C-alpha cells in the first residue's frame, strides 16, 4: 500500500512540475513576442502578473495575428482552379 502512495505522489509531482514548465515556457514566449513588437507595457504586465498576464496578452494581441494568416486550403469553386492554372501558364 505504501508503494501505491509513493507512486501516486511521484505522478502528482511530475504533473505539477510539468505545469510549471509549461507556464514558464508560455510566459517566455509571450514576453519575447511582446518585446519584439516593442510593447513595453505588455512586457511589464506579463512579467508582473505571471499566469494571467500571458493569457490575456495571447487572447488580446496574439490572437489577431492568427486571424490575419491566409487559409492554405480554402475551398475553390468549380472551374476556378482551371482559370488559375491558365493564367499562370500564360504569364
Amino acid at each position: 500500500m505504501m508503494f501505491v502512495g509513493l507512486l501516486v505522489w511521484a505522478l502528482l509531482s511530475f504533473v505539477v512540475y510539468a505545469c510549471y514548465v509549461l507556464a514558464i515556457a508560455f510566459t517566455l514566449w509571450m514576453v519575447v513576442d511582446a518585446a519584439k513588437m516593442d510593447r513595453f507595457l505588455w512586457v511589464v504586465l506579463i512579467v508582473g502578473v505571471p499566469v494571467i498576464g500571458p493569457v490575456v496578452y495571447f487572447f488580446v494581441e496574439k490572437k489577431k495575428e492568427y486571424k490575419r494568416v491566409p487559409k492554405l486550403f480554402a475551398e475553390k469553386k468549380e472551374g476556378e482552379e482551371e482559370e488559375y492554372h491558365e493564367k499562370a501558364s500564360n504569364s
Side-chain angles (χ1 to χ4, degrees), residues 24-48:
I24 290 170
F26 185 69
T27 301
L28 287 175
W29 177 33
M30 293 298 110
V31 165
V32 168
D33 187 70
K36 281 183 181 179
M37 302 291 181
D38 291 331
R39 295 180 176 146
F40 179 72
L41 290 176
W42 274 113
V43 172
V44 171
L45 179 76
I46 292 168
V47 173

Side-chain angles (χ1 to χ4, degrees), residues 5-87:
L6 185 62
L7 188 62
V8 168
W9 177 81
L11 183 62
L12 199 58
S13 296
F14 177 75
V15 169
V16 168
Y17 289 135
C19 288
Y20 282 141
V21 169
L22 288 174
I24 290 170
F26 185 69
T27 301
L28 287 175
W29 177 33
M30 293 298 110
V31 165
V32 168
D33 187 70
K36 281 183 181 179
M37 302 291 181
D38 291 331
R39 295 180 176 146
F40 179 72
L41 290 176
W42 274 113
V43 172
V44 171
L45 179 76
I46 292 168
V47 173
V49 187
V51 177
I52 299 170
V55 173
V56 169
Y57 176 77
F58 180 80
F59 284 110
V60 171
E61 295 292 331
K62 195 72 175 160
K63 195 78 168 179
K64 293 176 189 175
E65 292 178 22
Y66 290 121
K67 287 183 180 178
R68 285 185 274 168
V69 174
K71 293 182 181 179
L72 296 177
F73 301 105
E75 292 182 26
K76 294 183 180 180
K77 297 177 184 172
E78 228 176 276
E80 194 174 298
E81 190 172 319
E82 293 172 7
E83 291 174 15
Y84 174 77
H85 289 294
E86 287 175 11
K87 288 179 185 176

